Amino acid sequence: MRIVHITDLHYYRPASAGQLLGKRFLAAVNLSLGGRSAAFGGPARDGLVQDVLEQEPDLVVITGDLTAQATHAEFEVAAEALEPLLRRFPVTLLAGNHDRYTHGSTRTRRMESYFGSYMSGGTWKDGAWKTSGALLPPAAFH
């Protein structure tokens, strides 16, 4: 059995002016002026999906921090980038602190609106991972 573990992808899109209130303002300063946004992305992350597809795992486990600041734009780019894995393999997903970055993203369950069926867990049955809910493409959640 092959299990692939992915974590801390930090898909990043600059926040809009209206989103730069409170915590995101400080993060934007840190990401922009501190140069941290340059660390997000790059060849390693960009090649990850293809590498996982080639490995053909029995299960993909993603343990959070899909986004940098939990904005809709970041979740959308994460859903698009991960779509080949979500469509082809059993996937289970956990939220990280960056996926719950603001009270609003937690209160509105933003991550669940994009990845909800992959967050419901599952069990091993008959040699395969079975989820407790139907696996739907991320676009089905919004």
Side-chain angles (χ1 to χ4, degrees):
M1 169 174 302
R2 286 188 291 203
I3 299 172
V4 169
H5 174 227
I6 301 169
T7 191
D8 294 284
L9 294 169
H10 292 279
Y11 286 99
Y12 172 68
R13 292 294 178 266
S16 68
Q19 294 172 318
L20 291 177
L21 299 174
K23 189 174 186 177
R24 278 203 191 110
F25 175 76
L26 295 175
V29 170
N30 185 17
L31 288 167
S32 298
L33 299 179
R36 292 195 59 224
S37 64
F40 296 142
R45 189 189 67 199
D46 294 344
L48 176 74
V49 170
Q50 184 58 41
D51 187 49
V52 173
L53 289 169
E54 291 170 6
Q55 291 183 47
E56 297 189 16
D58 299 300
L59 174 65
V60 177
V61 178
I62 304 173
T63 55
D65 286 355
L66 292 177
T67 67
Q69 298 182 34
T71 65
H72 282 288
E74 290 174 347
F75 280 115
E76 287 169 4
V77 74
E80 182 180 325
L82 297 173
E83 191 271 335
L85 303 181
L86 301 173
R87 186 173 17 95
R88 186 165 169 190
F89 305 113
V91 174
T92 192
L93 236 146
L94 301 170
N97 64 314
H98 283 255
D99 304 318
R100 304 273 194 242
Y101 199 69
T102 63
H103 293 295
S105 62
T106 300
R107 186 183 68 256
T108 62
R109 300 175 57 84
R110 188 167 298 147
M111 185 166 182
E112 286 82 351
S113 73
Y114 289 88
F115 296 101
S117 69
Y118 304 99
M119 298 174 73
S120 60
T123 58
W124 287 106
K125 185 176 180 182
D126 301 324
W129 181 256
K130 307 289 182 184
T131 63
S132 56
L135 293 181
L136 300 172
F141 296 107
H142 36 306

